Amino acid sequence: MTSLQKRDNRGQGLLETVLILPVALAFIGLLFFASYRALVYFYADHILHEAMICTDADTLSTCEQDFTPKIRKITLRNENISLRLSRSGWGKNHTLTGRVEIASNLKTKIKIEKIMRFPIKGSP
């Protein structure tokens, strides 16, 4: 009786492997894509913060031009990157708004917006 049961289950492992392989590959691909987008988001957020601090010493356009290539290093070639800084207020007491938008051909967008008030706490 046991030899008959072994014959009936002979191709079951191969069949289960063939059926689960596309699901496993899709899950791994989705996990990789989500990890990549999270890395891009946090790196762009960091670069935006650095660009906003840069405006204390340089002009807005200089900081935008200096930090956009840094974001481009980690993104794919077909992704469009937009870094915009705008200032409101005068003198040392002003508010700076920064926006980063990263759009890809896959119709996915990453939008980050930050507001920073100057003078920064703890600075003279």
Side-chain angles (χ1 to χ4, degrees):
M1 195 74 141
T2 58
S3 64
L4 185 59
Q5 286 176 345
K6 286 182 183 178
R7 276 189 181 164
D8 291 341
N9 295 335
R10 193 178 311 180
Q12 184 176 352
L14 178 64
L15 182 64
E16 288 174 356
T17 302
V18 168
L19 291 176
I20 200 66
L21 189 62
V23 174
L25 290 176
F27 178 74
I28 291 170
L30 184 64
L31 187 63
F32 177 74
F33 179 73
S35 299
Y36 166 73
R37 294 309 273 184
L39 175 70
V40 168
Y41 176 85
F42 287 115
Y43 187 71
D45 184 55
H46 171 73
I47 292 298
L48 176 61
H49 187 78
E50 293 293 320
M52 292 174 83
I53 291 173
C54 165
T55 61
D56 202 25
D58 286 331
T59 63
L60 296 178
S61 61
T62 303
C63 293
E64 287 175 359
Q65 291 171 357
D66 289 347
F67 286 92
T68 300
K70 290 183 180 184
I71 297 173
R72 197 165 293 287
K73 286 180 184 178
I74 198 168
T75 59
L76 299 174
R77 286 187 184 166
N78 61 352
E79 292 182 324
N80 300 323
I81 300 168
S82 168
L83 173 70
R84 297 285 176 251
L85 300 172
S86 60
R87 184 184 315 228
S88 61
W90 297 97
K92 288 285 186 184
N93 295 325
H94 63 274
T95 301
L96 188 68
T97 303
R99 288 185 183 90
V100 172
E101 228 180 86
I102 302 171
S104 70
N105 292 343
L106 299 173
K107 307 266 192 258
T108 59
K109 280 188 179 182
I110 295 176
K111 292 182 182 181
I112 304 170
E113 186 172 338
K114 281 190 166 192
I115 296 174
M116 189 178 286
R117 289 176 178 73
F118 287 86
I120 299 173
K121 286 185 180 181
S123 64

